[in-house]
Amino acid sequence: MRTAVKPYPDQLIAQSAALGARVRAARTRRNWRLEDLAARADLSVKTIMAIERGDLGTSLGAYLRALWAMGLNQEMDVVADAGLDQTGLTLELGAHGRRVRVRKAVDNDF
């Protein structure tokens, strides 16, 4: 028995569709057909079409191969960059989550 798949949040659907549109725009600016990008990325035409639709079921590897084929993969280095994670940096620098030790008075009475 299969469990029901939870739908993706609307924001993720919109982001994926926008990424797909950017991939399509980059491909068309290069005057490449779907077949051209598929051949350069070593992917099927159907996979390229899924990327351009923003299909969330398409693997990250497929997106990366398509971006690499167009020379756009360098920008992926800033995705989830720890140096740009303001919330993570704030938590790391704050006392939240650190163990606090209570100092005991030293008793030199023997």
Side-chain angles (χ1 to χ4, degrees):
M1 177 186 246
R2 293 183 92 166
T3 58
V5 178
K6 294 182 181 177
Y8 291 103
D10 291 341
Q11 183 180 7
L12 290 182
I13 294 169
Q15 285 177 317
S16 183
L19 176 58
R22 290 192 300 271
V23 169
R24 179 181 170 89
R27 177 182 61 80
T28 57
R29 273 191 232 110
R30 287 164 175 71
N31 291 320
W32 290 0
R33 299 172 301 145
L34 288 167
E35 294 82 2
D36 298 331
L37 179 54
R40 291 172 191 246
D42 196 26
L43 296 168
S44 70
V45 172
K46 285 186 178 187
T47 301
I48 299 299
M49 291 170 63
I51 289 170
E52 291 185 356
R53 275 193 317 268
D55 185 350
L56 286 165
T58 306
S59 75
L60 177 61
Y63 278 92
L64 292 175
R65 287 181 77 93
L67 292 170
W68 169 81
M70 293 186 288
L72 298 174
N73 58 310
Q74 299 85 4
E75 287 76 11
M76 292 300 295
D77 292 340
V78 297
V79 174
D81 184 350
L84 301 175
D85 179 12
Q86 295 299 316
T87 302
L89 288 171
T90 301
L91 292 171
E92 184 178 49
L93 296 174
H96 178 71
R98 292 190 180 163
R99 291 182 63 172
V100 178
R101 293 186 177 193
V102 178
R103 293 186 179 240
K104 295 181 181 179
V106 179
D107 186 11
N108 289 331
D109 245 358
F110 293 103

